[in-house]
Amino acid sequence: IGDLLPGMRRMGLNRRTTLAQLDLTYGAGYSESTGDVHAFPVTGMPARNAYQLIHDSLKFDGDPALNCATFLTTWMEPEAEKLIVENLGKNRVDIDEYEATERVHRRCLAHLHDLWHGKSKQEATGTVVVGSSEGIMLGGLAMKWRWRQRMQAQGKDTSRPNIVFGANAQVALEKTARYFDMEARLVPVSDGSRYVLDVEKAIDMIDENTVGMFVILGSTYTGHFEDVAGMSAALDRLHRDRGWDVPIHVDGACGAMIAPFAFPDLAWDFRVPRVASISTSGHKFGLTYPGIGWVVWRSPECQPSELTFELSYLGGVEKTFTLNFSHPACFLIAQYYQFIRFGRSGFTRMVNACLYHARLLSVALEATGAFECVSDIHRPRGQFGFTEATRLASSKLFAESAMSQKSGADPSINEAYNYGQPEVAFRFSDWFIQMHPNASQEVVSTLLRVRGWIIPNYPLPPDRGSIRILRVVIRETSSEDTVNRLVRDIMWATQTMLESEVKSLGEALLRPLPPAVSTADLARDVAATHTETFDSTRRSSHWQVLLDKIGEIRAASPTTVLDKEAQKTVYQRSC
């Protein structure tokens, strides 16, 4: 054996041990616990052992398909994945060597320029980025430089720039202000503003040092679209009255790939005169794996030339305007695949399906009586907030639209509904809290992890932070079966939480599993059960009826301890 493997002696390894390590995947003695995981490894290991070690460790992650917290794409077609693997080694910025990839880049920009109603026959001005966060930063930076040039031309001070956006903004907007030395002026949100930007309050925060505004098309918190056209009109009035020329960057992380397909009547893009730039995440509703975003400017004038660099050390003369330099080309190529694979009709079908499932989940949750939605994607257009009247109106509208014979590629199916992205933000209803003062949404969120779901429970933006909400993002991979199972498991988690009020959570979880009950059409059935106003007594009995429907009804009431100590098995007592 030594003659066959002479390298073993040169490496100074024990022949017997090394053969065992080479021949065994498990049992070879490799483990993260065998050495200091914080120190760089002294020796290596066979490839299959390294793979298996990491592969097994990552099994402790949650299931991406059941991660309802993320907006990111978690599945792509095999053909798209094949393109990604084939192009993993390409660097997007090396356009001299990868000329064909750069053509794909320009085509994607042209597609987005057209989708967002850029000027006809004008070459698109923009770039691919790592994600919408980088796009937001580039959009904010361009507005700052244009403001500074304008102020310097007038001989004015440029030391105190500020930028205005709603308090519901995600962290990338605040990073932009801090990283590029601008004062962040956060506009308070309220119930009246639907927890997003309040146009009138925003106007009050603007002065001559305001470089621009961030307007969000799809709030992370509740899914509402902010009013881009309304904000632009208010800025026009301010310009007439005070002479302050304030541009808008639209943070369309999700909404910029939803609104063009679901709500073509909504003016939010380059149709709005003050929109200077738009960013989006290709890895959200652009249907591409994480690692890609886009930023597009209205015209070359909106992108200061001083921020563009020329370089020649990669072979040819190249221009770059990104915060990041080296960038994998594979996700850019995958994005182009999605554009030509689905086209407008395919993306419209996908978005319509997501909105349908979000509305189904919303109506079903409110029909239980235990929950009310803070999001308004399922409500008739112009109706906001939860009341019995808006709940019944939403239920009626959904029932009517579900019977529609319109094509899934027809965006007019959304004309009766509020604008927004397929996101369901919900909380316990006031009635439920009154009946169960100690009820905890955090416990429900935790219990849902028992069934594999990841559903966050978090506070609304500052000024309304006392309200906590559970949030479900409906993505391309969601189906009606997904919604049916989710409705069942949310009800199960809620009932288990109620039982834990009178006994330990462990005891509540120890009860026998309910008989298997089909979840087929469950969400529709639940949505159709609560079509009139109920008093408190009828709501309580209604909840019991729904529990029976999912097989979760018990002979004993929720306030009765089901298992006496003497009736427990040894295993149950040990648990």
Side-chain angles (χ1 to χ4, degrees), residues 150-357:
R150 198 165 56 243
M151 295 290 280
Q152 288 174 339
Q154 299 173 24
K156 294 184 177 181
D157 177 41
T158 61
S159 63
R160 295 176 296 159
N162 68 72
I163 191 163
V164 179
F165 50 89
N168 58 302
Q170 58 114 331
V171 70
L173 280 67
E174 295 187 65
K175 283 184 177 181
T176 303
R178 186 178 301 179
Y179 291 173
F180 300 123
D181 199 22
M182 295 183 283
E183 176 194 356
R185 294 187 174 178
L186 274 63
V187 183
V189 302
S190 64
D191 297 346
S193 72
R194 302 310 308 149
Y195 315 110
V196 294
L197 181 73
D198 187 309
V199 171
E200 296 307 319
K201 289 181 180 178
I203 288 293
D204 293 339
M205 291 189 167
I206 294 172
D207 58 29
E208 68 173 349
N209 291 318
T210 301
V211 308
M213 285 200 62
F214 287 136
V215 183
I216 304 168
L217 198 72
S219 172
T220 301
Y221 289 88
T222 61
H224 291 93
F225 287 174
E226 294 183 342
D227 187 359
V228 181
M231 191 71 248
S232 180
L235 291 172
D236 285 342
R237 293 192 294 270
L238 185 67
H239 187 212
R240 288 195 300 268
D241 296 342
R242 303 298 298 271
W244 300 333
D245 190 9
V246 181
I248 292 173
H249 173 86
V250 176
D251 170 16
C254 291
M257 292 303 295
I258 292 173
F261 309 110
F263 309 108
D265 62 309
L266 178 64
W268 64 273
D269 49 17
F270 293 128
R271 287 172 290 182
V272 179
R274 289 200 170 271
V275 173
S277 51
I278 301 170
S279 58
T280 193
S281 290
H283 53 227
K284 292 178 182 170
F285 286 88
L287 307 183
T288 307
Y289 284 142
I292 186 169
W294 300 93
V295 57
V296 178
W297 282 269
R298 172 182 291 276
S299 65
E301 293 74 28
C302 294
Q303 185 196 59
S305 59
E306 295 87 348
L307 294 175
T308 301
F309 292 82
E310 290 188 355
L311 55 97
S312 58
Y313 48 77
L314 290 180
V317 177
E318 303 174 11
K319 293 183 178 181
T320 177
F321 177 41
T322 54
L323 301 179
N324 194 60
F325 185 59
S326 292
H327 184 83
C330 58
F331 299 115
L332 158 67
I333 293 166
Q335 179 74 90
Y336 184 56
Y337 169 88
Q338 298 291 54
F339 284 172
I340 66 172
R341 164 74 174 87
F342 293 107
R344 285 182 183 265
S345 62
F347 270 90
T348 302
R349 285 182 180 277
M350 179 276 296
V351 172
N352 279 350
C354 291
L355 289 170
Y356 167 79
H357 293 133

Side-chain angles (χ1 to χ4, degrees), residues 89-103 313-318:
K90 291 184 180 179
N91 187 1
R92 204 286 302 172
V93 299
D94 194 350
I95 62 176
D96 187 61
E97 182 174 350
Y98 304 122
E99 182 183 353
T101 297
E102 177 58 18
R103 286 200 300 271
Y313 48 77
L314 290 180
V317 177
E318 303 174 11

Side-chain angles (χ1 to χ4, degrees), residues 477-528:
T477 52
S478 302
S479 64
E480 188 159 340
D481 183 59
T482 304
V483 176
N484 289 332
R485 291 172 181 272
L486 184 54
V487 168
R488 178 198 66 184
D489 289 347
I490 289 174
M491 293 176 61
W492 164 82
T494 304
Q495 181 64 16
T496 302
M497 179 270 301
L498 293 178
E499 292 178 355
S500 71
E501 292 182 2
V502 293
K503 55 185 174 182
S504 73
L505 186 57
E507 289 176 314
L509 287 169
L510 278 173
R511 58 176 169 75
L513 290 174
V517 175
S518 172
T519 59
D521 298 323
L522 174 65
R524 289 196 193 202
D525 291 346
V526 172

Side-chain angles (χ1 to χ4, degrees), residues 15 26 100 145 179 230 287 348 396 497 517 532 548 570:
R15 290 197 298 270
Y26 293 104
W145 275 65
Y179 291 173
L287 307 183
T348 302
K396 181 180 178 182
M497 179 270 301
V517 175
E532 57 184 281
D548 186 39
V570 173

